Amino acid sequence: MATPDRPAPPPEPAPAAEDDPRLADAFLRWVRAPENRLTVLGAAACTALFALLFQESLRHFYRAWTTDDNYSHGFLVPLLSLYFAAQVYRREGAPASPEGRSGVWLGGLLLGGALLAHLVTVPLPIDFLGDLALLAALVGCFTIVAGPAALRRYWFPFSFLIFMVPLPIALYSRIASPLQLMASRVASGFMNATGVPVLCEGNRMTLPGGVQMFVAEACSGMRQLTGFLALAAAVAYLSRRPGWYRAVVVLSALPIALFANTTRVVATGYVMHYLDPRYAEGAYHTLEGVLLMGMGLLLLNSVCMLMDLFCAGDDAPGPSPTTPPTEAVATGRPILAATEGWPSRRVAGALSLSASATEELS
Amino acid sequence: MTTLKRCGLCAALLTLGLAARAGLERMDATERPPLRRPLASLPMELDGWAGRDVPVPLDVIERAQTTEYLNREYESRRRPGLKLMLWINYSEQGTNLRHTPEICLPSSGWTKIESQTRELQFPAAGGRALTCTRLGYAQGDLVKHVGFWYYIFGEGRLENFVRRLPVTSRSSHGRTTRGSSMTVEVFYPGDVDPDAVALGEFARGLLAALEPVLPPDRAEYHVP
């Protein structure tokens, strides 16, 4: 208490949640509130039932993510989805509680359909169908509990989860095999054109001196493709640009991933020819992959910068309720501005993965 | 409707799903039968063929995701010099089915010769016939033939029916098998047995020797 000889303490800062609402804080507050005890128990029961029902799909995810290099990014996807959900919450706050039976029918339909699809996988063990059923059931449960308005608000974090689903092997092979052959042919063609005679037989390339180079399935470009598609989808979503811009960002992931992969094959060939075949294996080969991934990121960045030239007039940043318009100019480009509470409805400048963006994403 | 009621509805639907699943699983119980005997128990001497084990590189074993395998070279006693390479891959989880010649060989630079691909039938146990696919592959002047068939053990009729449909009858559906599985591949230079006569002789002996090894609850497939 303040007394005349003791100055009053400075007013306590307002709870962070009010200025900067955080999903995790809101969730903890909801869980701890005594009046929500029964609801929390109900939600916990739902979660347990869900995990029990979809345990095979969850195991399938875990197995694929831990044993298949093509899906080792799988663990990141739900975390990124949570991150996106937290950003939506920070930007738009808690959705209003659904009224009446709003969402019950839609959610029930989604959950019912998902359960039927899941049951089909009992006699016909099609993992892919089971995985998709899990996602649909998740959306269904969410819609029942939170309502359709919340689903509209959080559609992207749920959609993003598709990137954690492993493709069926038959489908994967059908896509990967031609890509693998294409990478071999294009790489050998390029090397021949640049003075390194290469004999290409399927995915086996014979370099001068009889050095054999095998373009494995892992070099088909599928791994880069899935990674880049996920990244491009995230960038497109966070960019707050027009639809065509986002579509181009996502679509550009395809040629960029394939180009980066073919470049990696060519680089490996050069390393084997000009340096030493040993430098094309193990850690060196992994390092090559990382460097080429970096090149892919730069290409994606370049695509965004190029498109910014065309849409600069479309979305010049307007005045924002929380950020002075000059800030966009002062800081250069608050890239992926949406990640910082989306003070503006648009990105205030070119979208690129610059240092500030990296900080945001880290 | 309160959130509690919504959670209750959700839990009720999920419980219904669990009960339906339990009922279906009970109706459609599947196990992954092991081989009745080890693959190594296959005799070295098969009706006119003398075999010897050939070591397999560790990385190949790893990539084949095999539970048990056999890699042998059999030489014909009737036609000295005629050698066939036998690769059998048993996988408890059915993951080896992915290693179909249709994927492995093109990846190694072999081109499929459609005109040399044909279905052959060999007499198997119980008066039945086993269908095998003989595939031809070329690399430059070299031509290689592969006799190929595979088994899935322990699956039900519905799975077997669906698996025989054109859309699913591919052996690369490895991870979706509910039973265990085994692929059999016989490799040889195409010019030594263009009409698959030797392959037929070998397969007859092999099928007879395989019979005591294979679980009886099985389905046979041949489309790679």
Side-chain angles (χ1 to χ4, degrees):
Chain A
M1 181 180 284
T3 56
D5 55 338
R6 184 179 287 180
E12 287 193 5
E18 287 176 12
D19 291 340
D20 186 16
R22 293 177 60 187
L23 185 62
D25 292 340
F27 177 73
L28 286 176
R29 272 199 307 277
W30 178 75
V31 168
R32 286 174 187 154
E35 67 272 19
N36 289 336
R37 199 163 289 163
L38 271 180
T39 313
V40 170
L41 281 176
C46 282
T47 309
L49 285 168
F50 188 92
L52 200 61
L53 184 59
F54 290 98
Q55 55 180 309
E56 272 195 19
S57 295
L58 293 171
R59 262 194 235 122
H60 177 237
F61 283 139
Y62 179 77
R63 197 168 57 237
W65 299 346
T66 51
T67 59
D68 190 340
D69 288 339
N70 294 311
Y71 297 102
S72 53
H73 65 274
F75 286 107
L76 278 178
V77 174
L79 295 178
L80 279 172
S81 277
L82 275 177
Y83 172 80
F84 295 137
Q87 291 304 324
V88 173
Y89 185 83
R90 183 185 272 188
R91 180 185 53 165
E92 301 186 18
S97 296
E99 289 177 5
R101 292 187 177 174
S102 155
V104 168
W105 286 110
L106 177 63
L109 211 62
L110 276 168
L111 183 54
L115 290 177
L116 279 180
H118 177 75
L119 291 177
V120 167
T121 66
V122 175
L124 299 176
I126 305 167
D127 288 335
F128 187 58
L129 185 60
D131 298 343
L132 294 182
L134 181 147
L135 296 191
L138 193 65
V139 175
C141 288
F142 179 79
T143 311
I144 289 176
V145 174
L151 180 63
R152 272 195 297 276
R153 192 174 284 191
Y154 289 96
W155 69 270
F156 183 76
F158 281 112
S159 306
F160 193 74
L161 289 174
I162 196 77
F163 290 109
M164 72 183 189
V165 177
L167 282 176
I169 288 174
L171 182 59
Y172 183 92
S173 298
R174 281 189 184 193
I175 301 171
S177 293
L179 289 179
Q180 197 179 346
L181 284 170
M182 190 190 76
S184 310
R185 285 181 191 148
V186 173
S188 55
F190 184 83
M191 290 176 76
N192 278 320
T194 53
V196 182
V198 176
L199 174 66
C200 178
E201 295 167 310
N203 294 318
R204 193 175 294 280
M205 294 161 66
T206 308
L207 305 177
V211 176
Q212 293 284 326
M213 179 176 150
F214 183 71
V215 180
E217 192 185 67
C219 301
S220 64
M222 275 297 278
R223 205 172 292 175
Q224 283 92 334
L225 200 56
T226 46
F228 267 105
L229 268 178
L231 180 71
V235 168
Y237 173 68
L238 294 173
S239 71
R240 318 295 296 167
R241 291 283 195 182
W244 69 265
Y245 184 105
R246 297 179 187 197
V248 172
V249 170
V250 174
L251 289 177
S252 68
L254 298 165
I256 287 173
L258 297 182
F259 178 75
N261 183 60
T262 308
T263 309
R264 186 187 185 191
V265 176
V266 170
T268 306
Y270 284 148
V271 167
M272 291 179 88
H273 178 62
Y274 288 114
L275 296 174
D276 192 316
R278 282 177 305 168
Y279 293 133
E281 296 171 357
Y284 296 107
H285 193 52
T286 308
L287 182 67
E288 260 177 40
V290 173
L291 290 176
L292 266 303
M293 197 72 179
M295 188 191 84
L297 287 175
L298 281 176
L299 283 174
L300 189 63
N301 187 34
S302 306
V303 168
C304 293
M305 289 173 73
L306 191 67
M307 284 196 300
D308 285 332
L309 296 177
F310 294 99
C311 70
D314 292 351
D315 61 350
S320 153
T322 55
T323 311
T326 50
E327 187 179 301
V329 178
T331 56
R333 297 176 304 179
I335 316 305
L336 307 185
T339 61
E340 191 53 68
W342 284 307
S344 163
R345 297 290 294 178
R346 291 165 292 225
V347 172
L351 175 77
S352 68
L353 298 169
S354 65
S356 59
T358 314
E359 273 172 29
E360 291 296 338
L361 290 170
S362 64
Chain B
M1 194 182 259
T2 63
T3 309
L4 181 60
K5 281 183 181 167
R6 287 167 183 272
C7 284
L9 178 66
C10 217
L13 283 172
L14 289 169
T15 308
L16 195 68
L18 264 173
R21 185 188 167 89
L24 261 180
E25 274 181 347
R26 202 167 169 182
M27 283 166 55
D28 191 54
T30 305
E31 57 178 37
R32 295 182 185 271
L35 294 176
R36 285 192 286 172
R37 292 184 195 173
L39 279 177
S41 69
L42 275 182
M44 285 291 184
E45 286 288 331
L46 292 177
D47 189 24
W49 297 85
R52 67 176 185 89
D53 282 321
V54 178
V56 184
L58 279 176
D59 64 318
V60 172
I61 298 169
E62 196 179 329
R63 270 185 284 150
Q65 299 170 331
T66 177
T67 306
E68 196 180 337
Y69 67 92
L70 187 81
N71 194 43
R72 277 187 190 162
E73 186 182 72
Y74 279 92
E75 183 167 0
S76 171
R77 290 199 185 282
R78 297 185 193 98
R79 282 170 277 184
L82 173 58
K83 294 174 180 172
L84 309 181
M85 183 61 80
L86 171 67
W87 167 254
I88 303 182
N89 192 340
Y90 168 76
S91 170
E92 199 178 74
Q93 295 296 321
T95 49
N96 66 330
L97 298 180
R98 182 180 185 185
H99 299 276
T100 158
E102 289 245 306
I103 290 174
C104 292
L105 288 172
S107 293
S108 306
W110 294 85
T111 309
K112 190 176 177 186
I113 313 170
E114 294 288 348
S115 61
Q116 294 194 11
T117 298
R118 64 190 59 163
E119 290 183 358
L120 309 165
Q121 293 204 320
F122 308 125
R128 292 180 302 112
L130 179 129
T131 306
C132 153
T133 303
R134 201 274 314 264
L135 300 136
Y137 283 89
Q139 190 176 69
D141 295 334
L142 292 176
V143 172
K144 176 160 45 180
H145 283 174
V146 191
F148 173 80
W149 69 94
Y150 68 101
Y151 304 93
I152 296 182
F153 311 115
E155 284 194 340
R157 284 182 186 174
L158 187 58
E159 289 98 329
N160 292 336
F161 170 73
V162 171
R163 215 171 277 285
R164 286 181 192 281
L165 296 175
V167 68
T168 54
S169 59
R170 278 178 57 86
S171 59
S172 53
H173 282 253
R175 286 180 192 173
T176 63
T177 55
R178 288 173 67 81
S180 49
S181 68
M182 193 173 99
T183 49
V184 181
E185 288 167 276
V186 184
F187 297 89
Y188 57 92
D191 55 348
V192 303
D193 186 35
D195 298 320
V197 176
L199 176 64
E201 286 174 8
F202 179 73
R204 275 190 288 275
L206 177 64
L207 286 170
L210 270 178
E211 195 53 39
V213 174
L214 301 179
D217 185 10
R218 64 180 181 252
E220 297 152 353
Y221 303 93
H222 64 281
V223 179

